[in-house]
Amino acid sequence: MNFHIRKARLSDAQQAFDIRNRAIMSQCISAYGLKAMQKWTDGDLPPAFAEAFAANGYVMLNSSNTIIATGMIDLQRGFVDALFVEPDYLNLGIGRKMLNYLEQLALNKGVKQLTLESTINAKAFYQACGFMGDEVSVYHSPRGFDLDCVVMTKQL
């Protein structure tokens, strides 16, 4: 599969948010239930997400220049976030390629450890990518609800 990754632009934020919502609805319902995922994906693109995505985001595009995956990394904190793959592109190694790209950016900046908050359903994926962590924590959504997550780290 032919793809490339580039720095996100503010104009990519709506597409990234839409991919996020589709990925959540297709992958997370089994772990959290429909009602919770509807709360998580309800509403319009938050300006704070758009700004954070433009500042720290990256997009993977297919050969038609369509965004098929997203990821964010705060290189100051070594924090990975918003790693989502368009559901039609699942199980093709796209998520791993995006994560590898973000890890390389971190290495180039001298970051020694990455941290992320995994959904329960994505824990095995991150473990397969070398992240460690089993302790369940609680993610407090700005939308006013809580979700169990797993804080995970990886030494680079």
Side-chain angles (χ1 to χ4, degrees):
M1 169 176 279
N2 188 15
F3 67 90
H4 67 280
I5 297 173
R6 67 164 168 77
K7 180 74 181 75
R9 304 175 189 130
L10 188 58
S11 60
D12 297 323
Q14 184 64 58
Q15 282 180 281
F17 189 69
D18 293 343
I19 289 171
R20 167 198 177 272
N21 289 346
R22 285 190 293 273
I24 288 168
M25 292 304 288
S26 75
Q27 298 299 303
C28 299
I29 289 174
S30 62
Y32 297 101
L34 178 61
K35 189 173 182 178
M37 295 305 90
Q38 286 173 328
K39 282 184 184 178
W40 197 14
T41 58
D42 187 38
D44 295 329
L45 169 69
F49 177 89
E51 291 169 16
F53 191 71
N56 298 317
Y58 292 83
V59 294
M60 181 181 293
L61 299 103
N62 65 13
S63 57
S64 302
N65 282 327
T66 301
I67 297 173
I68 60 170
T70 66
M72 291 197 308
I73 185 163
D74 179 334
L75 292 168
Q76 300 300 315
R77 294 176 32 226
F79 189 77
V80 174
D81 198 12
L83 182 63
F84 294 106
V85 176
E86 185 69 65
D88 290 346
Y89 289 85
L90 288 173
N91 301 313
L92 299 175
I94 300 296
R96 186 179 291 262
K97 287 180 173 108
M98 177 59 85
L99 188 55
N100 288 343
Y101 184 87
L102 298 176
E103 288 178 10
Q104 191 59 54
L105 291 174
L107 282 168
N108 292 346
K109 289 289 186 179
V111 175
K112 305 279 189 237
Q113 177 178 291
L114 293 179
T115 303
L116 57 82
E117 295 176 337
S118 174
T119 54
I120 301 298
N121 55 289
K123 178 182 160 190
F125 165 75
Y126 288 115
Q127 286 175 326
C129 293
F131 281 80
M132 308 287 283
D134 288 314
E135 188 174 326
V136 175
S137 182
V138 178
Y139 166 73
H140 303 285
S141 171
R143 294 176 181 246
F145 64 96
D146 297 335
L147 287 177
D148 286 347
C149 66
V150 180
V151 177
M152 304 183 82
T153 60
K154 180 176 183 178
Q155 301 302 315
L156 298 179

